[in-house]
Amino acid sequence: MTATGEDHVTARGGPWWWARRRSAVFDVSLAVVSALECALEGMPFAREAGIPVAAGVVFGLLAGSVLVVRRRWPIAVVLVSIAITPAEMGFLMGVVGLYTLAAAEMPRRIIASLAGMSLVGTLIVTFVKTRQDMSRGDLDIGDWFVPFAAITMSLGFTAPPVLLGLYVGARRRLMESLRERADSLERELQLLAERAEERAEWARSEERTRIAREMHDVVAHRVSLMVVHAAALQAVARKDPEKAVRNAALVGDMGRQALTELREMLGVLRSGGDGRRERAASVPLVAVGVAAAAAASRAADDEGPSLAEIEELVGQSAAAGMVVALSVEGDVRSYAPAVEQTAYRVVQEALTNVHKHAAGAKTYVRLAHRVSEIAMQVENEPPEEAASSARLPSGGNGLVGMKERVSALGGVFVSGPTDAGGFRVSAVIPAS
C-alpha cells in the first residue's frame, strides 16, 4: 500500500523549514565544513587585501555559514557564492548552492541566469588568476593554457552540479506525481470496494426477500387449506365419519404437496450453492448478488407452477368448502415461466386470503388472455356472519409479495375492498 499525503504530513518532525531532522543535521554539517573552508581561504585573501587576518577569517566563517539556509533560500546562497568568488572563497558553497537551486522548483530562467552568472564569475577569476601566475613565472606554459584553464574550471564548477540538480529535481517531481497517482488509485479502489460491498449487501437483502416470498407462497396456501380442512374435520368427525375420512385424506395430500414443493425449492437453492462453496472465499463481493439472483431465477423458472394448474388450485379451495367460480376469457396460450408463475402465485395468495379473512364468502376467479398481456382478478363477496372462522394467522406479507412480483415484471397490481363489502385483487402482467 502507498502512503497517503496525510502520512507524509505527520512524518515531518524537523525543526524550522526542514522536513526531517536528518536533513537539518546534514545541512548544518555542510555549513560547518563550508565555514571552515571559507575561513581557511580568508587568511590568504586578508594578506593580499591588506586587512587583518582575523577579519578575513571572520568574513569567511560568516560567508560559509550561509550554506545552512540552502533549502529555504537557494538563490541567496548562490548570490553569496558569486559575490565571494573574486576572493577565491566558497568552492563548496558554490557547488552545493547551484545543485540545490537546480533541484528546487524554480523557474528555468532564474536557474539559467544564476548559473550563467556563476559561470562568468568563475571564468573571469580563473582567467585573471592563471594569467597572474604565469606573469610571476609560477606557470611556464603557452598562452593557450589561460583560456583553456578558465573555460575548463568554470564549466567544471558550474555544469555538473546544475545538471545533477536538474535530474534530481525532475526525478523527485516524477516520484511525487506517481505517489499522488497511487494515492488516487488507492482511494478509488477503496470506493469501488465499498460500492461492491453495498451492492452485495443489497443483493443479499433482495435474495432474502425473494426466498421469504417464495416460502410464503408455497407454505401459506397449503397450510391454510390444511387448517380449514382440519377445522371441518373436527366439526364433522362424529356426525359424518365418511366426510371426516375424506377431509383427513385431503389434509394428508396437501401436506405432502407442501413438503414436495419445499424440497424442490430447497434443492434448487442447495444445488446452486454447494458447487461453489469451495470458491466462495475467492469470489468478489459483487458476484454474490449475481449468484443469488441466478439461484432464485432457476428456482422460479424450473420449479415454478404454471397457469395450467389454476383449475386444480381452484378445485382445492372448492374442496375446502369455498364457493368459488373460475372464468377464462380469450385464447389460452403459454407465456414465459416467470409470467405464468407470477399469475399463479397472485391467484393462490388471493384465495389464501379469502380462506383467512372471509371464510364462507363466494369468490370469483377471472383470467383474461389478451393480445399483449394477461389479466387476473380474484373477488370475494362479504363473508356470511354465521360462517365459521379457522382463525388463521396473517403476517401481512401476502399483498406486498404479490405487488413486488407483478411490479418486477412491469405489470400493475391493485387491491382493496369493494363497495359491496368484499375484497378484490387485480393484476395485469405483460405477456413478454
Side-chain angles (χ1 to χ4, degrees), residues 10-334:
T10 56
R12 297 194 172 198
W16 296 338
W17 57 83
W18 285 286
R20 303 175 186 84
R21 194 175 299 276
R22 64 180 181 181
S23 299
V25 174
F26 181 72
D27 285 357
V28 170
S29 301
L30 282 178
V32 170
V33 175
S34 176
L36 292 176
E37 177 205 356
C38 291
L40 293 176
E41 293 170 346
M43 290 187 290
F45 167 72
R47 295 191 190 96
E48 293 178 2
I51 60 176
V53 175
V57 172
V58 171
F59 174 73
L61 289 173
L62 294 176
S65 61
V66 175
L67 194 59
V68 76
V69 298
R70 71 182 185 94
R71 296 179 192 266
R72 186 66 178 273
W73 296 295
I75 296 179
V77 174
V78 175
L79 290 176
V80 171
S81 69
I82 294 174
I84 63 176
T85 299
E88 298 182 18
M89 298 169 59
F91 168 76
L92 177 63
M93 183 169 60
V95 172
V96 175
L98 286 174
Y99 164 80
T100 306
L101 178 69
E105 295 183 2
M106 292 284 179
R108 292 298 176 88
R109 62 178 183 275
I110 296 179
I111 297 175
S113 300
L114 293 177
M117 292 172 61
S118 178
L119 175 67
V120 172
T122 305
L123 178 66
I124 293 174
V125 171
T126 305
F127 185 88
V128 173
K129 179 64 176 175
T130 305
R131 181 170 289 279
Q132 288 178 350
D133 292 341
M134 291 185 65
S135 63
R136 288 197 301 264
D138 296 339
L139 293 174
D140 189 10
I141 306 177
D143 294 339
W144 62 269
F145 181 74
V146 176
F148 172 78
I151 295 174
T152 303
M153 291 291 290
S154 59
L155 289 176
F157 290 156
T158 305
V162 171
L163 294 177
L164 180 61
L166 290 174
Y167 167 75
V168 172
R171 184 175 181 276
R172 182 186 301 144
R173 287 187 289 272
L174 175 62
M175 295 301 294
E176 290 177 355
S177 174
L178 293 176
R179 186 181 296 111
E180 291 177 358
R181 188 175 300 177
D183 293 341
S184 176
L185 289 176
E186 183 178 358
R187 287 191 293 269
E188 290 181 4
L189 288 176
Q190 290 176 352
L191 182 60
L192 289 175
E194 292 174 359
R195 290 181 177 176
E197 179 66 27
E198 291 176 359
R199 288 195 296 268
E201 183 61 30
W202 175 84
R204 287 191 289 265
S205 176
E206 288 293 315
E207 185 57 18
R208 284 193 296 267
T209 302
R210 183 166 187 171
I211 293 175
R213 187 168 58 240
E214 290 287 339
M215 299 291 286
H216 175 273
D217 291 341
V218 169
V219 176
H221 180 73
R222 302 292 184 189
V223 174
S224 298
L225 292 180
M226 291 169 63
V227 172
V228 171
H229 281 291
L233 176 62
Q234 183 179 6
V236 302
R238 295 182 180 178
K239 298 178 181 180
D240 191 349
E242 293 183 1
K243 188 174 181 180
V245 171
R246 289 196 299 271
N247 286 343
L250 286 173
V251 171
D253 291 340
M254 291 177 185
R256 282 187 289 273
Q257 291 175 3
L259 287 176
T260 300
E261 292 186 7
L262 283 173
R263 288 195 190 99
E264 291 174 353
M265 180 179 297
L266 294 176
V268 171
L269 293 175
R270 190 177 294 113
S271 65
D274 289 345
R276 297 171 178 83
R277 187 172 298 171
E278 294 180 356
R279 295 179 296 169
S282 61
V283 175
L285 290 175
V286 71
V288 174
V290 177
S297 297
R298 287 194 299 272
D301 296 342
D302 300 337
E303 306 294 342
S306 64
L307 286 174
E309 302 175 32
I310 291 289
E311 187 174 352
E312 179 184 354
L313 179 67
V314 173
Q316 291 175 354
S317 295
M322 177 187 294
V323 181
V324 57
L326 173 64
S327 63
V328 180
E329 300 175 3
D331 297 331
V332 178
R333 64 182 188 275
S334 61

Side-chain angles (χ1 to χ4, degrees), residues 368-383:
H369 298 272
R370 300 170 183 169
V371 177
S372 60
E373 61 189 17
I374 178 173
M376 64 223 66
Q377 183 183 89
V378 179
E379 180 180 351
N380 64 274
E381 296 179 353

Side-chain angles (χ1 to χ4, degrees), residues 2-18:
T2 60
T4 60
E6 230 173 72
D7 296 332
H8 289 298
V9 172
T10 56
R12 297 194 172 198
W16 296 338
W17 57 83
W18 285 286

